[in-house]
Amino acid sequence: MAASATAPPEPSNLRRIVAASLIGTTIEWYDFFLYGSAAALVFNKLFFPDSDPLVGTLLSFLTYAVGFAARPLGALVFGHYGDRLGRKKLLVLSLLLMGGATFAIGLLPTHATIGSAAPVLLTVLRLVQGFALGGEWGGAVLLVSEHGDARQRGFWASWPQTGAPAGQLLATGVLAALTALLSESAFTSWGWRIPFLLSGVLVFVGLWIRLSVDESPVFKAALAQAEQRKAESGQVEKMPLVAVLRHHWRDILIAMGARMAENISYYVITAFILVYATTSAGLSKQTALNAVLIASAVHFAVIPLWGALSDRIGRRPVYLIGAVGVGAWMFPFFTLIDTGSFGSLLLAVTVGLVLHGAMYAPQAAFFSEMFATRMRYSGASIGAQFSSVAAGAPAPLIATALLADYGSSTPIALYVIAAALLTIVAVACARETRDRDLASVEAGRRDDDAAEDAREASTADAPASA
């Protein structure tokens, strides 16, 4: 069963699955990052107009962080049903929720129209975005990981990861085009709504592609085995959340630690940079957006290369290259930006994102290979999304507050370096997973479950037999 479940699919079928995951994650990240860019550029004026400009930016980043707070809930709900019902159904639902919330933001009245109700509604829609994204990531990477050839899993599973820079590229590109074509007053008045409304069109494209792919063969095989065990012995599976916390608690902690540097560095480099470059380095919004736009294109290109390298030398070595590199780059990163040169800004952001890619690329395969099939969606999602509350959610907020308090980039650089050290420790404690077969992980965990269940049964029967 394991062999058949992990046999390489036809190349055309695998490419269609990769395309379905990539397009879906691109749309979801486009929606998510669009909010982050808008929070840095216009939401402080539209939804918090009575505040000091920097305080208004802090408040808009606070609503940005709220989306991260909802991601763990999305991870729990989508993980549970994704492990029970399958990856494909939940991916379609996540896309609909994300697209609908983003489209609604484009129609939202501002503070000038409805007063304090405007930021409240904005926060609610941001919560829906976070909930949807909390379930999206795990399903997208698992759909590819569980279809692909184990020998190239790092490469193929890294393609859904390119949805993040692709979404960033798309969101930043649309905003850059609008700020270039429209006057600042026109963009602030109505132009900012256009990229949010475009999400409605993109969702239909993503749904059309996602509905055309098959469910993961590894999941279908594991589901059939679970149903057979239930029919033969009456044994009912534990809830995925209970099972994953029981058997994979160490892997969840490792995944959470591994995410810290990756998540924090990304949002400092791509979101906070829009604030720092315009307020401290004296660069224009257009210049900062252009730098992030070009760097995101490079980021997109290098992620599959890092993924392929992880197939050759392992997930851990590539991940450690990224964590060490990001930590070492932070002081040069801000020094380059402080020159006020576009070339230096572009170099700073590009190198930062290339090093980030060394963590982000192997992450999909690395996390997938940690968990058994019937709890893999829950495990990968919980490990990835719960850490985002402590990492990516407050990163722009903390960085902005540090800048306001100290007027220097040094505390911000030390903040990212501390996260890098935590990630280095977490990854160093992990086992290498490159050679694991996803179906055999299920088999190994099932044997552990059976042994543990037998011990529990004998313990429960001991008083009666005595």
Side-chain angles (χ1 to χ4, degrees):
M1 183 70 71
S4 62
T6 56
E10 292 294 327
S12 59
N13 187 44
L14 180 56
R15 284 193 292 270
R16 188 171 69 252
I17 293 160
V18 169
S21 293
L22 172 57
I23 290 175
T25 53
T26 297
I27 295 168
E28 297 242 9
W29 283 115
Y30 165 81
D31 292 347
F32 205 75
F33 289 142
L34 181 61
Y35 190 103
S37 297
L41 297 174
V42 296
F43 280 178
N44 58 332
K45 302 172 187 175
L46 297 172
F47 294 94
F48 307 99
D50 297 330
S51 303
D52 171 83
L54 195 56
V55 174
T57 300
L58 281 169
L59 291 172
S60 63
F61 272 143
L62 186 60
T63 64
Y64 175 71
V66 163
F68 287 83
R71 284 166 68 172
L73 179 59
L76 291 173
V77 174
F78 280 80
H80 172 82
Y81 288 103
D83 283 328
R84 288 293 177 92
L85 305 176
R87 293 34 171 143
K88 177 180 172 179
K89 295 182 180 69
L90 275 298
L91 284 174
V92 169
L93 179 60
S94 71
L95 189 60
L96 286 171
L97 284 174
M98 176 66 87
T102 305
F103 186 82
I105 290 174
L107 301 175
L108 196 62
T110 64
H111 187 278
T113 305
I114 60 172
S116 59
V120 171
L121 292 173
L122 181 67
T123 303
V124 170
L125 292 172
R126 182 59 175 172
L127 284 168
V128 176
Q129 279 191 324
F131 179 77
L133 191 62
E136 162 69 22
W137 181 85
V141 299
L142 292 189
L143 196 64
V144 176
S145 295
E146 293 178 345
H147 271 94
D149 182 356
R151 294 168 298 180
Q152 296 181 298
R153 185 180 297 126
F155 172 73
W156 289 114
S158 71
W159 279 101
Q161 300 291 76
T162 65
Q168 178 79 66
L169 188 65
L170 188 58
T172 306
V174 171
L175 284 172
L178 288 171
T179 55
L181 294 172
L182 300 176
S183 65
E184 184 160 352
S185 60
F187 179 77
T188 303
S189 175
W190 55 269
W192 68 272
R193 298 181 183 275
I194 294 174
F196 287 93
L197 297 176
L198 282 175
S199 179
V201 178
L202 296 175
V203 165
F204 283 108
V205 177
L207 284 175
W208 175 66
I209 296 175
R210 279 200 168 169
L211 290 170
S212 68
V213 301
D214 297 326
E215 182 57 80
S216 154
V218 173
F219 173 80
K220 288 192 289 187
L223 180 61
Q225 291 167 358
E227 291 175 346
Q228 183 179 357
R229 289 196 301 272
K230 182 178 179 180
E232 292 175 351
S233 64
Q235 179 183 347
V236 179
E237 285 187 312
K238 296 180 177 66
M239 290 179 59
L241 175 61
V242 174
V244 78
L245 292 177
R246 174 181 170 185
H247 297 289
H248 288 284
W249 62 268
R250 181 178 182 274
D251 296 317
I252 289 175
L253 291 177
I254 287 172
M256 291 175 68
R259 282 274 283 173
M260 296 303 290
E262 177 269 306
N263 221 217
I264 288 173
S265 66
Y266 188 78
Y267 290 104
V268 168
I269 293 169
T270 61
F272 170 72
I273 196 62
L274 299 177
V275 175
Y276 186 82
T278 54
T279 59
S280 295
L283 295 163
S284 68
K285 287 189 289 188
Q286 186 66 47
T287 300
L289 284 169
N290 288 341
V292 174
L293 185 68
I294 297 170
S296 294
V298 177
H299 194 211
F300 179 91
V302 300
I303 285 178
L305 301 180
W306 285 120
L309 183 62
S310 78
D311 287 325
R312 290 181 173 271
I313 67 174
R315 318 298 184 214
R316 292 170 71 248
V318 175
Y319 214 112
L320 288 170
I321 289 171
V324 172
V326 161
W329 184 244
M330 275 301 104
F331 279 111
F333 174 79
F334 285 108
T335 300
L336 286 168
I337 297 171
D338 287 337
T339 65
S341 161
F342 173 73
S344 297
L345 172 65
L346 179 60
L347 177 63
V349 178
T350 301
V351 173
L353 287 181
V354 168
L355 293 169
H356 170 269
M359 293 182 283
Y360 200 54
Q363 190 178 97
F366 190 29
F367 289 8
S368 298
E369 291 158 348
M370 288 181 181
F371 302 98
T373 302
R374 293 287 282 163
M375 56 190 87
R376 184 170 292 134
Y377 203 143
S378 295
S381 296
I382 290 170
Q385 302 306 333
F386 271 69
S387 58
S388 69
V389 176
L397 191 64
I398 290 173
T400 304
L402 289 172
L403 179 63
D405 288 346
Y406 295 95
S408 167
S409 62
T410 299
I412 305 166
L414 293 174
Y415 166 53
V416 179
I417 290 169
L421 291 173
L422 181 57
T423 291
I424 290 168
V425 171
V427 176
C429 293
R431 303 181 184 91
E432 180 55 59
T433 62
R434 177 184 53 163
D435 297 323
R436 288 184 182 174
D437 183 281
L438 295 184
S440 69
V441 175
E442 164 68 18
R445 293 298 174 185
R446 190 166 59 247
D447 293 341
D448 293 343
D449 289 349
E452 184 66 25
D453 289 341
R455 285 194 293 272
E456 288 180 356
S458 63
T459 302
D461 292 343
S465 59

